[in-house]
Amino acid sequence: MTLFGTAGIRGPVGDRVTPSLALAVGQAAGEPGASFVVGIDGRETSQALAAAATAGLASAGANVRRVGRVPTPALAHASRGRRGLMITASHNPPTDNGIKLFVDGVEYDRAAERAVEAGVEEPALADWDRWGVVDRETVLSRYRRAVETYVREAFRDAPRDAGSDRTPDPDRPLAGLSIAVDCGTGVGGLATPQVLDRLGADVVALNANVDGHFPARESKPTPETLTDLSRFLETGSYDLGLAQDGDADRLVALGPNGEPVHEDTVLAVVAERYVRTATVDDPVVVTTPNASARIDERVRAAGGRVERVRLGALHEGMSRVRNGAGQETAVVFAAEPWKHVHPAFGGWIDGVASAAVVAALVARAGDVETLREPVTERPYRKVSVPCPDDAKVGSMDHLETALPDRFDDVSVDTDYGIRLEFPDASWLLVRPSGTEPYVRLYAESDDVEALVSEARGEIEAAVDAAS
């Protein structure tokens, strides 16, 4: 049985995600003497699923602390030194829900997920006198204070850039910055505006009431769903716009004109900051194959290097670098588009911490444009080429040779799909979709249409040959 995708278990309630599944997952994950914290997002179905999962954990022998509605990063923070179970479908529609599991602040790796899947097949109860205790715990205020402390310390000694006219305040690094933050009626409304305010920003919070129907906009923040926030910024006077998804692990940044800042540009500027302030000889940034070469450019300029790992496996990539490196090597930042891990704070994806860090970088630079100016932004395209599921393996096998042969002077990486990098920092990635009958093509280049056209022709030929 395969339950876990790239971000836990997720799917339609009543079809894929049910109380019986939550009960079985709890029984499979729990064991006598284990300690779990259980949190929920704001979805209508989250309380019932959490009750089922809690019953499963306790009946397997685990002691459970219910922490109520919290952002997923707050639950991850609370799972340090124990385990965690979060009921959330992140940015999915309100009809969906899901389950994420954590151990000591890090998402379960593949081996742990497989063990849970095996346990769901044959659920087992603890002896009647070894069932766990269920209690309640408050973690939200503790988490908010932890984010505030982290950002204050991270920017305490950072000088303002030459273009900034804001006076540094070590306890209020966002002083003088005006921010409009759209929480999308998700649980980020319980943490992000409060943290930004405590760090000194002038904050206007939009859609900060928690509502599992997501009536204001879709949970996933995209240029199409953030039109109200864009108009609000365009007609107002704000330095920065921020938007989050339903459980506050994603972050989108917008300029004062309401235009979204490309997610890879945000990733690049945060990565560069962490590399430049690193105290190790070999600072590493972990990202994914679909992330732009602009990240590599800024990280190299700051004296670091980039390693890539499959989508949804940032924690595994971080562990690999730590386990295979010497004492002076460290992962200083890990991210895929919209989702960031701040290792000096914790090993989980954290959109609340990212909101505060991005805001602090804007305050330090003076404005959004000054912050993004060093980043080379090339045109980007993502294309889905139809491919039957049974032709994916044959198509990719053919493309491993055909694509590099099509272009001159390229470096090739086939660890997670086929990624080609060109001397001018253009790149393309081809990978099969794990959920739909497509081969995905990602490309970034000054002449992106020509690059996509050439690569697409090879992909279509490979699919025809394999079908």
Side-chain angles (χ1 to χ4, degrees):
M1 175 185 293
T2 300
L3 292 174
F4 290 86
T6 57
I9 299 167
R10 195 182 298 175
V13 172
D15 179 8
R16 176 171 170 78
V17 180
T18 62
S20 59
L21 175 65
L23 176 70
V25 168
Q27 289 173 336
E31 58 185 68
S35 178
F36 273 81
V37 282
V38 174
I40 62 173
D41 67 8
R43 293 166 188 270
E44 296 298 307
T45 57
S46 290
Q47 291 192 41
L49 291 170
T54 297
L57 289 168
S59 63
N63 296 314
V64 181
R65 295 294 186 108
R66 297 280 301 273
V67 302
R69 283 181 171 179
V70 293
T72 294
L75 186 280
H77 179 266
S79 76
R80 294 172 306 159
R82 48 187 173 177
R83 295 177 182 265
L85 186 150
M86 181 72 185
I87 301 295
T88 181
S90 190
H91 60 276
N92 280 33
T95 51
D96 286 7
N97 218 322
I99 304 170
K100 282 188 177 182
L101 291 161
F102 296 85
V103 55
D104 198 21
V106 179
E107 289 183 43
Y108 272 30
D109 60 19
R110 271 182 161 175
E113 289 175 347
R114 298 264 162 73
V116 171
E117 288 173 344
V120 168
E121 295 277 8
E122 297 182 15
L125 299 181
D127 293 339
W128 67 270
D129 58 349
R130 300 194 71 189
W131 284 27
V133 174
V134 179
D135 207 340
R136 293 190 177 273
E137 182 176 333
T138 300
V139 302
L140 187 57
S141 58
R142 186 165 68 242
Y143 166 72
R144 292 194 303 232
R145 288 194 300 269
V147 177
E148 294 161 17
T149 299
Y150 169 69
V151 175
R152 286 192 185 101
E153 293 304 314
F155 288 87
R156 183 170 297 279
D157 300 321
R160 302 292 169 131
D161 286 354
S164 176
D165 59 0
R166 297 187 177 93
T167 302
D169 183 338
D171 294 319
R172 303 172 73 247
L174 306 187
L177 196 71
S178 58
I179 304 173
V181 54
D182 180 354
C183 303
T185 67
V187 286
L190 304 174
T192 304
Q194 296 86 343
V195 166
L196 298 175
D197 176 76
R198 293 270 297 173
L199 291 172
D202 180 9
V203 182
V204 172
L206 309 177
N207 305 317
N209 57 308
V210 179
D211 189 327
H213 291 89
F214 303 120
R217 61 165 171 83
E218 293 180 21
S219 177
K220 185 176 182 179
T222 66
E224 294 74 26
T225 63
L226 296 177
T227 52
D228 287 348
L229 175 60
S230 293
R231 283 194 294 268
F232 187 82
L233 290 164
E234 187 178 13
T235 58
S237 181
Y238 297 91
D239 299 305
L240 176 66
L242 299 171
Q244 293 181 316
D245 63 343
D247 70 331
D249 63 354
R250 287 186 174 226
L251 180 75
V252 174
L254 300 87
N257 60 355
E259 289 293 323
V261 181
H262 194 282
E263 58 273 15
D264 285 342
T265 294
V266 175
L267 203 165
V269 298
V270 177
E272 180 177 4
R273 158 72 188 186
Y274 278 121
V275 170
R276 289 199 183 280
T277 57
T279 58
V280 296
D281 296 333
D282 183 26
V284 177
V285 171
V286 174
T287 189
T288 48
N290 61 325
S292 169
R294 69 188 68 172
I295 299 157
D296 304 68
E297 288 182 308
R298 297 318 306 162
V299 168
R300 281 195 297 266
R305 62 185 172 92
V306 172
E307 290 206 8
R308 283 181 165 79
V309 68
R310 67 178 177 86
L311 287 168
L314 292 175
H315 52 297
E316 293 177 13
M318 293 169 65
S319 176
R320 184 183 68 200
V321 171
R322 284 196 298 266
N323 292 338
Q327 291 184 335
E328 295 304 314
T329 297
V331 177
V332 296
F333 185 52
E336 55 187 84
W338 301 289
K339 300 193 290 186
H340 307 157
V341 179
H342 306 266
F345 180 54
W348 56 87
I349 294 167
D350 197 321
V352 180
S354 290
V357 167
V358 169
L361 288 172
V362 172
R364 180 179 179 274
D367 56 57
V368 170
E369 287 307 310
T370 300
L371 179 64
R372 68 191 290 187
E373 191 275 331
V375 180
T376 303
E377 297 181 312
R378 297 177 178 87
Y380 174 88
R381 284 282 307 279
K382 177 181 175 182
V383 176
S384 296
V385 180
C387 177
D389 288 337
D390 58 5
K392 288 177 180 176
V393 172
S395 299
M396 294 301 294
D397 287 345
H398 177 80
L399 289 168
E400 279 196 21
T401 301
L403 268 179
D405 287 349
R406 177 86 180 194
F407 302 98
D408 296 327
D409 195 19
V410 295
S411 61
V412 184
D413 186 337
T414 58
D415 284 345
Y416 310 104
I418 304 167
R419 182 181 170 98
L420 305 185
E421 294 195 14
F422 299 81
D424 66 353
S426 298
W427 61 277
L428 67 84
L429 170 69
V430 176
R431 56 181 291 272
S433 170
T435 57
E436 297 180 287
Y438 295 105
V439 169
R440 308 290 191 195
L441 166 62
Y442 309 79
E444 187 175 50
S445 172
D446 289 329
D447 194 359
V448 71
E449 297 301 333
L451 182 58
V452 166
S453 178
E454 284 196 70
R456 181 168 188 159
E458 288 292 342
I459 296 169
E460 290 173 341
V463 171
D464 286 343
S467 297

